[in-house]
Amino acid sequence: MPFLTDPVLPAGVLAASPQPVVPTGDGLLLRPWRATDAPAVHAAFQDPLLHRWHVRTADSVAEVTGWIEQWRADWAEERTAQWAVVDADTDALRGRVALRGIELVDGTAEVAYWTAAAARGRRVAVRATTALSRWALDEIGFHRLELLHATSNEASCRVAARAGFLLEGTKRSATLHQDGWHDMHLHARVRGD
């Protein structure tokens, strides 16, 4: 049965080119992950605050190396797009920003991020999320980006608002964390916002 609408984005829109480096314009770069980033990611995941808001732990550098290999493969498969957020001058890891759940036909994806403990309080997540959103919406042509966070994660709510994601509502009991089910705020940006 044929569809009445064309895909928003054609297959291959991402994978046809190498994953780009995206500058924030204010001292950070979003760049593809490298195997050499594994020790820094492993160290970041030892932070108890990451454990509070994320459902994943990192038991070893070797495990994280596997994540990075998967993240790089996901670009080619157009399933997710993950970037290391690094200092533009030193290449020191400041965090991660990603598009997850990419649906090219609908032109949608979910934005996700985390910040290394030493980089918190410097608006790293806001700067990275803003740059990623600009790239995804304006350069690639995504129609809608969503951002979800636990309602009790006030810092993520501030990041979403500062990055231009409007609060659309609350998904009740939507995500299972280590401490139980969390209600999640749903924020979104659409092309043209």
Side-chain angles (χ1 to χ4, degrees), residues 58-136:
D59 293 332
S60 69
V61 172
E63 178 183 7
V64 173
T65 299
W67 296 357
I68 292 171
E69 289 171 4
Q70 185 60 57
W71 293 340
R72 293 176 64 81
D74 284 349
W75 174 265
E77 297 172 11
E78 300 182 315
R79 295 182 334 165
T80 68
Q82 310 252 357
W83 281 266
V85 180
V86 300
D87 183 280
D89 295 325
T90 66
D91 200 49
L93 183 67
R94 300 294 183 233
R96 166 261 201 175
V97 68
L99 295 177
R100 302 187 310 186
I102 293 172
E103 294 291 341
L104 296 177
V105 169
D106 297 326
T108 62
E110 178 189 347
V111 174
Y113 50 80
W114 52 258
T115 303
R120 291 199 189 110
R122 299 180 192 169
R123 295 194 177 201
V124 168
V126 172
R127 293 154 58 199
T129 300
T130 300
L132 176 61
S133 300
R134 187 172 43 245
W135 174 84

Side-chain angles (χ1 to χ4, degrees), residues 34-52:
R34 303 174 186 148
T36 55
D37 294 321
V41 175
H42 179 260
F45 267 79
Q46 303 317 301
D47 177 11
L49 190 59
L50 249 66
H51 296 178
R52 182 170 182 202

Side-chain angles (χ1 to χ4, degrees), residues 97 110-115 123-131 133 137 145-151 153-169 184-190 193:
V97 68
E110 178 189 347
V111 174
Y113 50 80
W114 52 258
T115 303
R123 295 194 177 201
V124 168
V126 172
R127 293 154 58 199
T129 300
T130 300
S133 300
L137 294 166
L145 301 177
E146 295 184 347
L147 191 158
L148 292 159
H149 65 81
T151 56
N153 187 341
E154 294 176 6
S156 268
C157 202
R158 287 190 300 273
V159 167
R162 289 177 179 152
F165 283 74
L166 299 178
L167 178 62
E168 293 187 339
M184 303 293 283
H185 274 163
L186 170 63
H187 297 257
R189 278 186 68 170
V190 296
D193 277 353

